[in-house]
Amino acid sequence: MSQDTEVDMKEVELNELEPEKQPMNAASGAAVAAVMAGGAEKNGLVKIKVADDEEEAAAKFTGLSKEELLKVAGSPGWVRTRWALLLLFWLGWLGMLAGAVVIIVRAPRCRELPALRWWHKGALYRIGDLQAFQGRDGNNLADLKVHLDYLVTLKVKGIVLGPIHQNQKDDINGTNLEQIDPTLGSKEDFDSLLQSARKKSIRVILDLTPNYRGQNSWFHPRQVDSVATKMKDALNFWLLAGVDGFQVRDVENLMKASSFLAEWQNITKNFSEDRLLIAGTKSSDLQHILSLLEFTKDLLLTSSYLSSSHVSGQGVKSLVTQYLNVTDNRWCSWSLSQARLLTSSVPAHLLRLYQLLLFTLPGTPVFSYGDEIGLQAAGLPGQPVTAPVMLWDESSTLNASGPVSSNLTVKGQSKDPDSLLTLFRRLSDHRGKERSLLHGDFHALPSATGIFSYIRQWDQNERFLVVLNFNDMAQPARLWHDSLPGRVDLTLSTQPGRKQDASLELEYLKLEPYEGLLLHFPYVA
């Protein structure tokens, strides 16, 4: 067989193959395989028809030219569309602006916050007898620094210290208000204490009651001018030394007391508005108290006004509301005496109620050392009645019969979540951080017999409801007021057993004997 014949035979074989088995030399999915009629192309070869470059270029879309776009954009239809969209945009913007203005105008205005000084923000803590307060841990100014950390846990804003100046009993010439009693330390010790307290945000107020060891705290009335001169010199001396304020006690024995108090307050305020003057009196007479406040503005006055041999809910309510009304809502201080412990005026079963009361009234609460643990002014053998030893632990007492019970001490009560000390700390914490308790309005409420209740509220902040049961039996609260909600939440109770943050229905609220409740509820527009 010739060579040409072999080639023809192979072509015939290829033609007989199934289409999917035939070889392809050009397999592009975009190609068009065409077999030209009238010509027998060899199997496996594909002819592709490609358009001319000029025809392809003519078929491509290049968009509108600038002139064409301008012509279309200037057409009446597009002009009206653009103006309509622009008008809609500005109408929408003006509508949102008007809505925002309406919301701002109709929204409740926030009340301007009052200017608060440091003594407005928490309790003051009196340490009248340095040695009794420290007990066996020390007896002078240098040793007092050890207890500053404890005072921080109480969240008190200042300590009222002393008197610590040199005083020879009933001898005006032997009294030096600018000299520290050597048995208590030196001026350097005091400066060091001052700096240490300042670092812990505790202010130091110095008691300058002149004749604190004598019969009359202000010496003989005919010596009043000499005493006044010593006082002015001492005020200027200790202000320059960095003291944050002063206390003077027994001012009912000072002739022309209101005039002198006004003069001494001017000295402190002219030095700095951040300096404080406290006056103390044994009097409980409201008119006498008002006469002492006559010429002063920011003076704090401690007295026996709230002390009463007969304690009842109605009696306490009457005293508080009357005092707030006649003092024209000036900033007050609250205590049961100018220097004594709470236990000197209040029976043990009412201590918790009075802690809650003093911490939640509008003003500055003032306590004496030991009030936070219920320290007794008398009754412990070996302790002086006027200055009982602070019970830090079981070994603090001077009682020769043995150690005192741990539940009466700072150490023991610190471990007990239901102790008086724990309650004091919790109340002090709330008093210092809640605006309604700091400077809120006070509203006494109608309530059941034997119960004193009131609301503390400030602007749009959370409201606090205080309910105090002075009865010796369980008592329904029977509270009613337009601003009260149906339910309130429990902040704390003076008695153990209630669950914190529990939701309580006011209609059915019932208090245990001598129980006090601090409740809260939100502001509703």
Side-chain angles (χ1 to χ4, degrees):
M1 187 179 292
S2 66
Q3 186 175 2
D4 293 335
T5 303
E6 292 177 358
V7 172
D8 291 337
M9 290 297 294
K10 290 179 179 178
E11 290 178 357
V12 171
E13 291 174 0
L14 285 172
N15 288 330
E16 291 176 354
L17 290 174
E18 294 178 7
E20 61 272 14
K21 298 181 180 179
Q22 294 181 7
M24 295 291 289
N25 292 331
S28 172
V32 179
V35 179
M36 301 298 294
E41 297 294 335
K42 292 185 177 180
N43 190 39
L45 298 178
V46 179
K47 286 189 176 182
I48 301 174
K49 185 176 180 179
V50 181
D52 294 336
D53 292 343
E54 293 181 0
E55 293 176 355
E56 185 179 359
K60 292 178 64 177
F61 177 73
T62 59
L64 298 177
S65 66
K66 180 179 179 181
E67 291 75 11
E68 290 172 324
L69 285 172
L70 291 174
K71 181 179 179 181
V72 173
S75 64
W78 275 110
V79 170
R80 286 193 296 270
T81 300
R82 287 201 305 274
W83 278 108
L85 292 173
L86 183 63
L87 181 61
L88 286 174
F89 168 79
W90 284 109
L91 286 175
W93 187 86
L94 290 173
M96 289 188 294
L97 179 62
V101 171
V102 170
I103 291 174
I104 294 172
V105 171
R106 292 175 62 88
R109 298 289 181 90
C110 292
R111 291 175 63 180
E112 184 179 355
L113 291 174
L116 294 180
R117 300 295 177 184
W118 56 266
W119 60 87
H120 297 152
K121 300 177 182 179
L124 302 180
Y125 189 85
R126 297 181 296 217
I127 305 176
D129 190 305
L130 211 61
Q131 295 173 330
F133 173 70
Q134 296 181 91
R136 296 182 179 181
D137 294 332
N139 58 7
N140 55 40
L141 291 167
D143 296 330
L144 183 59
K145 291 191 293 184
V146 175
H147 297 292
L148 290 177
D149 286 335
Y150 169 72
L151 298 177
V152 171
T153 70
L154 299 181
K155 299 187 184 300
V156 296
K157 298 305 176 184
I159 55 174
V160 184
L161 191 60
I164 59 172
H165 58 264
Q166 202 167 29
N167 170 227
Q168 188 171 334
K169 182 179 178 180
D170 297 326
D171 183 0
I172 191 171
N173 295 320
T175 298
N176 189 340
L177 301 179
E178 301 171 27
Q179 182 71 40
I180 293 175
D181 187 331
T183 63
L184 300 177
S186 64
K187 176 65 163 51
E188 290 72 23
D189 294 331
F190 180 80
D191 292 339
S192 178
L193 172 65
L194 203 62
Q195 294 303 317
S196 297
R198 191 72 56 86
K199 290 177 182 178
K200 297 182 182 296
S201 299
I202 296 176
R203 305 299 186 105
V204 177
I205 301 164
L206 198 57
D207 192 317
L208 287 181
T209 307
N211 190 28
Y212 62 95
R213 290 191 173 112
Q215 294 295 318
N216 185 329
S217 298
W218 296 93
F219 297 104
H220 196 278
R222 66 172 179 268
Q223 297 174 312
V224 63
D225 292 333
S226 298
V227 173
T229 301
K230 283 179 174 287
M231 280 293 301
K232 287 190 289 185
D233 292 341
L235 290 172
N236 288 309
F237 174 82
W238 289 111
L239 284 170
L240 291 173
V243 168
D244 297 291
F246 305 96
Q247 175 179 266
V248 289
R249 291 183 284 124
D250 300 323
V251 293
E252 70 275 7
N253 297 327
L254 174 64
M255 292 181 59
K256 300 182 292 184
S258 59
S259 298
F260 281 123
L261 290 175
E263 180 183 356
W264 298 338
Q265 188 182 43
N266 286 337
I267 293 174
T268 61
K269 294 300 180 183
N270 287 337
F271 183 85
S272 172
E273 287 292 329
D274 211 30
R275 298 297 184 266
L276 173 66
L277 180 64
I278 305 174
T281 176
K282 294 177 182 176
S283 175
S284 60
D285 180 70
L286 182 57
Q287 294 306 314
H288 176 69
I289 292 171
L290 293 176
S291 70
L292 295 174
L293 298 172
E294 184 177 3
F295 302 115
T296 58
K297 179 182 178 183
D298 296 325
L299 178 76
L300 291 188
L301 184 68
T302 57
S303 68
S304 300
Y305 176 74
L306 285 182
S307 298
S308 174
S309 56
H310 177 69
V311 179
S312 66
Q314 280 68 30
V316 175
K317 177 181 180 179
S318 176
L319 288 173
V320 169
T321 54
Q322 184 180 19
Y323 190 86
L324 291 174
N325 289 335
V326 299
T327 53
D328 196 24
N329 293 321
R330 65 176 286 157
W331 190 267
C332 304
S333 62
W334 298 100
S335 63
L336 269 69
S337 71
Q338 63 171 348
R340 293 180 301 162
L341 292 166
L342 275 178
T343 52
S344 300
S345 306
V346 175
H349 61 270
L350 291 178
L351 286 177
R352 293 170 179 263
L353 276 186
Y354 271 91
Q355 278 196 6
L356 178 54
L357 175 70
L358 296 178
F359 269 116
T360 56
L361 289 176
T364 300
V366 183
F367 297 93
S368 295
Y369 78 86
D371 283 343
E372 70 273 26
I373 61 172
L375 184 64
Q376 295 292 327
L380 290 175
Q383 293 192 9
V385 174
T386 55
V389 173
M390 182 67 169
L391 300 180
W392 297 104
D393 54 36
E394 294 89 336
S395 64
S396 295
T397 178
L398 300 179
N399 187 355
S401 63
V404 69
S405 173
S406 63
N407 60 6
L408 299 177
T409 68
V410 171
K411 181 180 178 181
Q413 292 194 25
S414 293
K415 300 175 183 178
D416 182 0
D418 296 323
S419 69
L420 188 63
L421 176 58
T422 300
L423 176 65
F424 186 99
R425 286 170 169 161
R426 292 181 63 192
L427 286 169
S428 187
D429 180 56
H430 286 295
R431 169 64 176 75
K433 69 182 182 183
E434 299 290 350
R435 284 184 176 174
S436 291
L437 296 178
L438 272 170
H439 47 73
D441 300 325
F442 171 91
H443 300 287
L445 301 178
S447 51
T449 302
I451 288 182
F452 177 28
S453 61
Y454 49 92
I455 294 176
R456 297 295 311 280
Q457 63 184 48
W458 175 260
D459 199 30
Q460 301 173 41
N461 292 271
E462 195 166 42
R463 275 83 167 107
F464 284 87
L465 170 63
V466 181
V467 189
L468 307 170
N469 182 17
F470 286 87
N471 294 311
D472 59 358
M473 63 184 69
Q475 177 74 48
R478 297 195 182 96
L479 304 174
W480 59 89
H481 193 271
D482 293 341
S483 63
L484 287 177
R487 303 188 71 90
V488 294
D489 295 327
L490 178 67
T491 303
L492 60 83
S493 169
T494 60
Q495 306 292 345
R498 291 190 186 263
K499 184 179 179 181
Q500 185 176 347
D501 295 323
S503 179
L504 304 175
E505 195 166 356
L506 281 182
E507 184 179 356
Y508 303 106
L509 183 63
K510 187 175 182 179
L511 283 79
E512 295 300 315
Y514 307 122
E515 183 183 20
L517 297 178
L518 179 60
L519 309 159
H520 64 272
F521 58 94
Y523 162 80
V524 178

